[in-house]
Structures are given as C-alpha cells and as structure tokens.
Amino acid sequence: MLNDSSVSGVAAIHVLTRTDKSRLCVYCVSGGMLHSFYRSTEDGSSWVKDSHPPFPEHPISGTPAVTSTPGYDSRRWSLVVPCQSGGLLHTSTEGSSSSPRYSSEKIIWEPVDHVAKDLGIISSVSITAIKRKTAKGYGDSSEKTDIVMVCVASGRLHTAEGELSRKSRSNSYSVEWEAQTPTRILHPGEVTGNPMLIQKDSKRQPQLDLLVPSAEGGIFHYVRPASTPDEWHMIARIAFPQGLPAASCLTFHSEKGIYEARNFRAFIQSGGHLYYATTTESSDPWLRTYLRPILSPGPFG
C-alpha cells in the first residue's frame, strides 16, 4: 500500500509499446523497493500496477530517473535508481523485436548494471541519452548512444557518461551501460533535493542544461556546452525570497520561443508548497525571476 508519506522519489516517461500503443509509465521508490505503474493515454484508461517491476532483488532508495534512448532502439528506455548499499543500479527495456515473445504488452528488462559504487550512498540522480557519431573509416560513420548522469552524494554533485552497448553475458547478448568513473561538478556550498538534466536539440552533440537545489536556498543552473563536453559551467542562480526553505525537489523543461530562443519553466517544491518560475534563454537567465505559488489543484495552498 502506497501513501504520500512512504514514497521517497518518483520518475515518469511517455513511451510507445511494441504494439505501437502510447503509454505513461511511472516509477516510484517506497519501502526499499521500486514500484511501477502505467496507463494508456487513451480516454477512459486507468492505472495498472506492473506485476514485474525492475530491480526485484535489490534494496533501493532515493529518487530514480528514466530516459528514452533515441538512436539505439525506438522502443527502449533506461532506468537508473540509487542502491541502498551505495552506487547506482541501471537497466533498460529489451526494445522491439520481430520475435513472438515480444508480441505482448509485458515489459522485459535487461540484466542490472551496478555502477558508481565508489560514491557511496546516492540520494538522487538524473539521466539523459545523447547520440554521437563515431568514425568507422574515411567517409563512413555510425551513431552511438551515450547516457549522461548527474547525481547527488553527500551534498556534492557528480557526473558520469558511458555508452549503451551490446555485450555478451552468459552465452547470450544484452545491453550494458559502460559508465565511466564519476567526476565532481564544482559548486558553492552543498546541494540537496534532486538534479534535473535536459538537452538542447542539436544535430551535433547537444548542449546540456542542469538545475539543482542549493542547500542554502535557491537553484543553481549549469550548462555543458557542445564545444566542451567535459566542462560544466554555472551560469545563473534562481534566488529564493528570504525565509523560504531549500527546495526539496524540482523539475524543469524548455521549449522553443520567439527567434529560436528557448523558454525555461521550473517547478519547485519548498516547505510543502509548490512554486514555478519562468525565464528565456539569454546571457542572464533567471535575472529578476520571481517564484509564483501554485495554489491548486492538490494540498499546496
């Protein structure tokens, strides 16, 4: 039985099943286990509890993260969640196939990867999948899919990237995330809550934007430019009104605005209340931005 006091983290994704039906999948952590629910986007549909969620044999905690993997498989998505013993657990769906075993709506998961163990206990994580071209020879290239993650461990930000590749395991083939050794993202003070990654559409390697709550109040905004994929730069801080507690969680997204500049919209939970803030991509994002309360629906007034 789940209630509002037992869920420590949640993630959601909109996917297409193997039979091309649209579905919303929700993953949440409660009681050291990952629970999975889904519903069709058709009118009149209801929520269904997944009887075979991932990580059934692993004690987990914190906030999970999920992303689709375009370029690798149109029916594949990856799920990452903190492990109670430290590090991160990763798995992905097996994707599409012409085999009869894939004709049902049941989601089948790849073997679990346990990565970033040296970071110890991780409270939350965010991931995104990016496509990159790899040269095979003169005038020839192919596309690879990398997963980029940013996580919070002991009040610090860490990041790692690695290819989603097919490997031989126990006389069969499965997909594995080859995550590199995590590195620190420098920031003033400590961070809290959950990080949130999004990427800017690009034919080249995309720019990544990262938002994360500051433990002292406010939100840090970082970018990883396409030209320097090993560098993260803090470009702004969303200021909080005096007396407002640090954000416990957040989410944000972007959309194209006038003249191709992006509009950012962040949703923030602080002190048991929900707020949102908006800005436009510029040299001074979030300048003179105000938090606006969300009074309804829900118990946030």
Side-chain angles (χ1 to χ4, degrees), residues 12-49:
I13 187 171
H14 183 267
V15 299
L16 288 176
T17 67
R18 298 179 184 90
T19 54
D20 290 328
K21 291 184 179 180
S22 182
R23 175 184 289 184
L24 177 64
C25 296
V26 174
Y27 304 97
C28 66
V29 177
S30 177
M33 298 178 59
L34 187 80
H35 300 266
S36 175
F37 303 88
Y38 63 88
R39 64 173 295 177
S40 168
T41 56
E42 298 176 357
D43 292 339
S45 63
S46 58
W47 288 101
V48 177
K49 180 175 173 56

Side-chain angles (χ1 to χ4, degrees), residues 35-269:
H35 300 266
S36 175
F37 303 88
Y38 63 88
R39 64 173 295 177
S40 168
T41 56
E42 298 176 357
D43 292 339
S45 63
S46 58
W47 288 101
V48 177
K49 180 175 173 56
D50 187 357
S51 59
H52 297 87
F55 315 119
E57 300 177 357
H58 297 269
I60 59 176
S61 60
T63 302
V66 63
T67 186
S68 59
T69 54
Y72 192 94
D73 191 304
S74 61
R75 299 295 183 270
R76 184 182 296 274
W77 62 95
S78 282
L79 180 66
V80 174
V81 67
C83 181
Q84 280 190 8
S85 62
L88 295 169
L89 302 173
H90 165 267
T91 186
S92 62
T93 58
E94 285 196 349
S96 58
S97 173
S98 59
S99 171
R101 68 180 294 215
Y102 294 95
S103 60
S104 69
E105 292 296 296
K106 179 182 176 182
I107 297 174
I108 301 174
W109 296 92
E110 297 279 8
V112 174
D113 305 312
H114 195 172
V115 303
K117 299 177 185 179
D118 292 344
L119 293 183
I121 303 301
I122 294 171
S123 59
S124 57
V125 61
S126 182
I127 57 174
T128 188
I130 60 175
K131 293 186 293 184
R132 60 182 177 87
K133 290 188 175 181
T134 57
K136 299 174 65 177
Y138 180 77
D140 191 11
S141 65
S142 62
E143 285 189 341
K144 300 289 186 180
T145 298
D146 280 4
I147 293 180
V148 181
M149 80 86 180
V150 173
C151 68
V152 176
S154 300
R156 301 298 179 187
L157 271 177
H158 302 266
T159 183
E161 183 173 346
E163 183 183 337
L164 200 62
S165 61
R166 189 171 296 277
K167 297 292 183 179
S168 174
R169 301 193 208 187
S170 302
N171 298 321
S172 64
Y173 288 92
S174 60
V175 169
E176 176 184 353
W177 178 31
E178 299 180 322
Q180 300 170 358
T181 301
T183 59
R184 278 279 309 277
I185 298 177
L186 299 179
H187 52 83
E190 293 189 352
V191 294
T192 186
N194 66 289
M196 186 68 191
L197 274 171
I198 62 172
Q199 60 177 283
K200 183 176 183 179
D201 293 335
S202 174
K203 293 182 179 179
R204 304 177 302 163
Q205 181 164 324
Q207 172 181 300
L208 299 183
D209 286 83
L210 165 68
L211 260 62
V212 64
S214 165
E216 299 176 356
I219 305 289
F220 297 140
H221 186 168
Y222 290 81
V223 296
R224 194 186 84 168
S227 58
T228 54
D230 295 326
E231 299 178 5
W232 292 87
H233 305 276
M234 192 172 78
I235 61 171
R237 179 172 182 164
I238 305 175
F240 278 11
Q242 186 174 2
L244 193 69
S248 56
C249 63
L250 70 89
T251 185
F252 87 117
H253 68 273
S254 68
E255 57 188 13
K256 287 185 178 180
I258 301 176
Y259 307 118
E260 298 300 316
R262 289 187 297 168
N263 294 324
F264 293 111
R265 184 182 297 269
F267 296 88
I268 301 159
Q269 181 174 307

Side-chain angles (χ1 to χ4, degrees), residues 282-294:
S282 66
S283 59
D284 295 305
W286 308 107
L287 183 65
R288 292 184 291 274
T289 292
Y290 299 96
L291 294 186
R292 304 178 186 275
I294 300 175

